[in-house]
Amino acid sequence: MKKKYFLIIGVLFINVLHAQLRQTIDFNTNWKFYLGNDSIAINENYNDASWRTLSLPHDWSIEGNFSKDNPATTQGGALPGGIGWYRKIFTLAEVDKEKKVAIEFDGVYRNCEVWINGHHLGKRPNGYISFRYDLTPYLKFDGGKNVIAVKVDNSQQPNSRWYSGSGIYRRVKLVVTKWWALKPEDIFVYSKVVNTNKTRLFADAKLITKNTDLEIWAEIYDPKGRFIARMAADKINDNHVFTFHYDMNNPGLWSTVNPVLYKIKFSVFIAAIQMDEYETSFGIRSIHFDRKKGFFLNNKPLKIKGVCMHHDLGALGAAFNYRAAERQLQILKAMGCNAIRTSHNPPAPEFLDLCDKMGFLVMDEAFDMWQKKKNKFDYAADFKDWHKKDLEDMVLRDRNHPSVFMWSVGNEIREQFDSTGIAPTKELVAIVKELDNTRPVTSALTETDTAKNFIYQSNALDVIGWNYNQQNFPEFLQRYPNKIFIGSETTSALATRGQYDMPSDSIRVWPPKGKKEMENVNGNWTASAYDNVKANWGSTHEETWKIIKKYDFLSGMFVWTGFDYLGEPTPYPWPARSSYFGIVDLAGFPKDAYYMYQSEWTTKPVLHIFPHWNWTKGELVDVWAYYNNADEVELFLNGKSLGTRKKINDDLHVMWRVTFEPGTLKAISRKNGKTVLIKEIKTAGAPAKIELVADRATIKADGKDLCFVTARIVDKNGNLVPDANNLITFTITGNAAIAATDNGYQADTVSFASPQRQAWKGMALAIVRPASKKGNSTLIAKASGLISGTIALKIAD
């Protein structure tokens, strides 16, 4: 395959003054909201005084109560949908009269309709796509009142196989420009290798105008903001596309370990008058797949160690928050994860900004269904009329992110099973290729028999995505001549943090084949954290990774899933309301399998032993250890050696079966006889106090930042009490509020908005949101009979 460097662009939005060329205005504050339907709310003079005032992004479903009777069902998180209205009043100065004003929505779930001053602007059924409307023809520029009204209809349920959220759940911007301006989707920058030390940069800018005296140039800046060069357009084709090129010597390459980002600034003039200035970030990297050797980033082999992620942020619901997403990615990065699959929809643009910055590859996915539906009211009803526009908008929006390394046009699409899958596959891939021919296109398939898979038979896909069927992975080269493999979705192991079912070397398949749900066998709606429970279509974590690890041609995998997510609580019915698939639980607390991946996916020393050490005297307990950078692990109980274990062949953990007695369990990993790490677990006494630990000591006074505070119930000696379930009441003083609470337990049906949370396996979480002014805040956690926990938080610029 021809090697290429693809220079990618990600937009940087900058607020500027009226006198400047482009204003990008944060349009997220002071909205009015009403949960219900009132069609006359489109009118300018409608009285919305009784409506709630809030800031966006906003998800009204997460504010509701869990119920098995909510029509979304437990698959959709057992939370309410409905219809909601948003209104916002704003004014524009006379100086803006000759300008263009557009409103941009990053995502609204779903069936969104928008009016400005009573004029209907349009409707977008897709709940995950970004869109823009030109407001200019309908605006008042004399300081008069302008009214935006937005109707969001998520009343037809069920329409999703996971929790969708409801409302304007992503960012909104107002963009003010001169009468002619660049559009982000009309800019595409890419590059190709000239020789070992030189990369030729190309920039395409689509400038549709009848003016023959138009001039445009682009300036390049290095990661430190230093000017590199100015490029003048050297070609204009019949489609109004201006092409630039520049030879870069030894550029810094974007990678998962060193995500180098440059900047480029476009300046546009008509008749020597500057019309626009548009600045973006970009990264330079090459990607290619080799059928037999796997994936290459910057011409170096890289195993894709990825996870699938749904869009919700746990207790915060679907409302996008930059810090919450950053925290998720930081936790995954520390595990060794280097790639994300956005299952099964386009993500928030800010999520891709984070992936650019932090060094994650992204499989950007468009659809969960085409015309054959999976739910009664899902996107299948809109696919025929909207798929082209929605797919185009996704590719045009996201193609300039260095993190995006491949496109997926569908997940487990039902058209794969008959000939109706051939034509739409060809069409969708062609739509992508027309807009971006620098990245491969895939679709996540479940049918691995080539004779029965018609999406495969379309011969349109660059890379074949396999979901599950790990037993067939080694046969891929024989089954799929001349094709390339990616494990688009793997594993589906089930676990509840802190729950341990023995014997640990006995595999549970939940639910059994032929059943959708199973009985509450543990009595508490849990699944074992030993990595010995799997869905009937999946595998344990170790099973699939062993196969992917073994073969170079298996380019990598995306584990289902990185975090637990709201909805799809396989294997249980109500009261379970969130998934068991995550390597990390819904609160962001790692499960034990996290350390298996960390020991395999990173080079930093790892030694993790589990379970806890509070059992019944004489009970047989299986003790596991994940480790790396060592030859062996020796286990001690109260100072007595229980023997040394070594991983043999393809083992990923070692185990001891131990007769419990209270005290201290200690593990020592060694390499060449020298100690690498020591880990201890002590038998905990009765709960005595609450310990609070914040993820950061200082948070920004912007009303958006978040602090995640973990509450640990410990004994008098500071040991976590592994079965503590005390009811914790959180209160806060100062310039902050409690945004949500959680504990990671999949069957907790208390609203996330509650300041009270029962600990699960000794832990709970409080999410703190600062006000928009500086000052200090104190979070207090109380529980009956325990010493309270207190932590001071600094809120600063």
Side-chain angles (χ1 to χ4, degrees), residues 695-756:
D695 66 333
R696 294 178 302 158
T698 303
I699 46 180
K700 297 177 183 177
D702 61 2
K704 303 175 185 177
D705 201 7
L706 297 173
C707 183
F708 292 81
V709 182
T710 300
R712 303 174 76 249
I713 296 178
V714 298
D715 66 9
K716 64 180 182 180
N717 296 317
N719 299 306
L720 180 73
V721 182
D723 58 353
N725 62 354
N726 306 66
L727 180 64
I728 301 174
T729 300
F730 293 98
T731 58
I732 196 163
T733 63
N735 297 327
I738 297 170
T741 62
D742 193 9
N743 56 21
Y745 175 42
Q746 293 105 334
D748 187 339
T749 57
V750 175
S751 169
F752 291 123
S754 173
Q756 291 189 318

Side-chain angles (χ1 to χ4, degrees), residues 604-623:
K604 60 187 175 186
V606 174
L607 175 59
H608 177 72
I609 58 170
F610 62 100
H612 58 79
W613 206 238
N614 278 53
W615 302 91
T616 303
K617 190 169 184 179
E619 185 176 359
L620 286 178
V621 180
D622 290 350
V623 178

Side-chain angles (χ1 to χ4, degrees), residues 681-702:
I681 302 175
K682 297 179 183 292
T683 302
K689 58 183 178 180
I690 302 173
E691 176 185 88
L692 296 181
V693 181
D695 66 333
R696 294 178 302 158
T698 303
I699 46 180
K700 297 177 183 177
D702 61 2

